[in-house]
Amino acid sequence: MSKSKDKVGGSKQFRWLPPMHEMMLKILAEEAGKGNKPSSTFRAGSFALVAKEITAQFGVECHPSYVDNRMRTLRTMWSTIQTLRKKSGFGWDDNLKMITCDAKTYQEEVMAHRKHADYLNKKIDFYDELAIVVGKDTATGGFSKSGVDLENEPDNGDSAEFVADNVEEGEVEKGKNAVESSTSGSGISKSRKRARAPSTGDDSVLTDLSDQLKDIAVALKEINRGPVDYTALYNEVMAFTAEGYSEDMLATAFDHLCENEKTARGFLAKNARLRKLWIDGFLFSQL
């Protein structure tokens, strides 16, 4: 065995290079076209085939469990892409496979979710293959460019460029679970398989995640409806007295938010870290 194989095989992480990623998607898309993706999951042999081809082609030891771990990342990425496509203010260029938005929408989205910058106004490589491999499209020969279910897709926040760059990932399961993961080609322990039916389990998880995302979307819409709750706004601003800010300075920030309704709504929609960044920026501008 080569030193390269020793190094990668003995590591708890596997480095997915762009050519490996491309090979994985193409093989799995072909597997789906052969009927080896009967539902939302592939047959065990498909992951084993990917691992075998990557090992042979790149001279590194790849296990089916690494492929399964990569699939989890791709599912998360696909979910984020579909969520962004459905958000108000975003468009879709089907020729370029690109989520589009104007500068203002881009800035607001990236301020709230920094990693989403990698999905916006940039071509999403291998989008059609992703639609087949991790989307609802099961393909019937060749890469299908339609049939993507935008209504029932679920979300960890990796990016389109994350796929193309060299990224270490794929924690190798230890002990018995590692053996079960490698032999099954799905990365799911036998105990988990007994807990749910293989043909419907993943669909159930995706449905639950989809429902959670819908709840979040509803909550965000509610923030943008009706009058601003200035009592809640006041409490959220004044909560930063615990961070050492003076009450007078925070009162100035509160007054500014009251005078700018859109800014106030944006402030309430942010998490605690982003609110603190806004407070810092505003107070600095007042010096």
Side-chain angles (χ1 to χ4, degrees):
M1 184 178 292
S2 68
K3 291 183 179 180
S4 176
K5 286 189 178 183
D6 288 337
K7 181 177 181 181
V8 177
S11 172
K12 292 183 180 180
Q13 291 184 322
F14 183 81
R15 182 182 294 275
W16 282 91
L17 302 175
M20 297 178 187
H21 165 78
E22 181 178 357
M23 175 180 282
M24 171 184 166
L25 286 176
K26 288 185 176 180
I27 291 175
L28 290 181
E30 291 173 358
E31 287 291 289
K34 295 175 183 176
N36 290 326
K37 185 190 177 189
S39 59
S40 61
T41 58
F42 284 88
R43 300 188 190 281
S46 297
F47 286 2
L49 175 61
V50 172
K52 177 182 177 182
E53 291 298 319
I54 288 178
T55 297
Q57 181 71 26
F58 298 99
V60 296
E61 191 171 354
C62 181
H63 298 290
S65 61
Y66 301 169
V67 180
D68 180 60
N69 285 331
R70 183 64 170 177
M71 284 289 290
R72 295 173 190 173
T73 297
L74 295 183
R75 289 190 187 102
T76 290
M77 184 181 69
W78 179 254
S79 172
T80 302
I81 291 170
Q82 300 310 314
T83 299
L84 285 171
R85 284 189 59 176
K86 291 181 285 184
K87 287 185 67 172
S88 175
F90 294 90
W92 174 251
D93 187 321
D94 195 52
N95 291 323
L96 296 177
K97 306 302 178 187
M98 177 189 297
I99 299 171
T100 60
C101 62
D102 59 33
K104 183 176 182 295
T105 302
Y106 177 92
Q107 183 177 15
E108 291 176 349
E109 182 66 25
V110 172
M111 283 293 292
H113 305 282
R114 179 177 57 82
K115 289 186 177 181
H116 288 185
D118 295 319
Y119 297 102
L120 304 177
N121 296 329
K122 295 180 181 179
K123 182 179 184 298
I124 300 174
D125 292 328
F126 309 111
Y127 180 88
D128 291 330
E129 290 87 333
L130 281 169
I132 296 170
V133 173
V134 293
K136 295 295 184 182
D137 191 348
T138 56
T140 56
F143 295 148
S144 173
K145 291 181 173 57
S146 61
V148 179
D149 187 343
L150 299 183
E151 295 300 323
N152 298 306
E153 292 296 332
D155 208 3
N156 154 229
D158 292 315
S159 65
E161 287 195 1
F162 171 83
V163 171
D165 293 337
N166 297 347
V167 180
E168 287 194 343
E169 62 172 26
E171 283 290 324
V172 180
E173 300 175 73
K174 298 181 180 179
K176 182 179 178 181
N177 284 347
V179 175
E180 291 172 345
S181 174
S182 296
T183 56
S184 69
S186 65
I188 304 174
S189 68
K190 291 182 180 178
S191 62
R192 288 180 62 194
K193 287 185 178 179
R194 286 195 295 268
R196 63 182 186 180
S199 61
T200 61
D202 280 350
D203 284 336
S204 176
V205 173
L206 294 178
T207 299
D208 290 342
L209 288 172
S210 178
D211 289 341
Q212 292 176 27
L213 286 172
K214 289 178 181 177
D215 290 342
I216 293 172
V218 170
L220 289 175
K221 287 181 180 178
E222 289 302 320
I223 290 176
N224 293 320
R225 292 177 181 170
V228 174
D229 186 344
Y230 289 103
T231 300
L233 178 63
Y234 178 83
N235 290 334
E236 292 298 337
V237 172
M238 288 304 168
F240 285 95
T241 56
E243 300 287 339
Y245 296 88
S246 75
E247 186 175 12
D248 290 343
M249 294 170 66
L250 292 175
T252 301
F254 173 72
D255 290 341
H256 175 79
L257 290 170
C258 290
E259 295 170 359
N260 298 272
E261 183 176 316
K262 284 188 177 181
T263 305
R265 291 182 187 278
F267 181 87
L268 288 173
K270 290 178 170 64
N271 59 31
R273 184 181 68 83
L274 293 176
R275 287 177 182 174
K276 184 177 185 300
L277 288 174
W278 185 90
I279 291 288
D280 287 340
F282 174 78
L283 295 181
F284 180 81
S285 69
Q286 301 302 302
L287 297 178

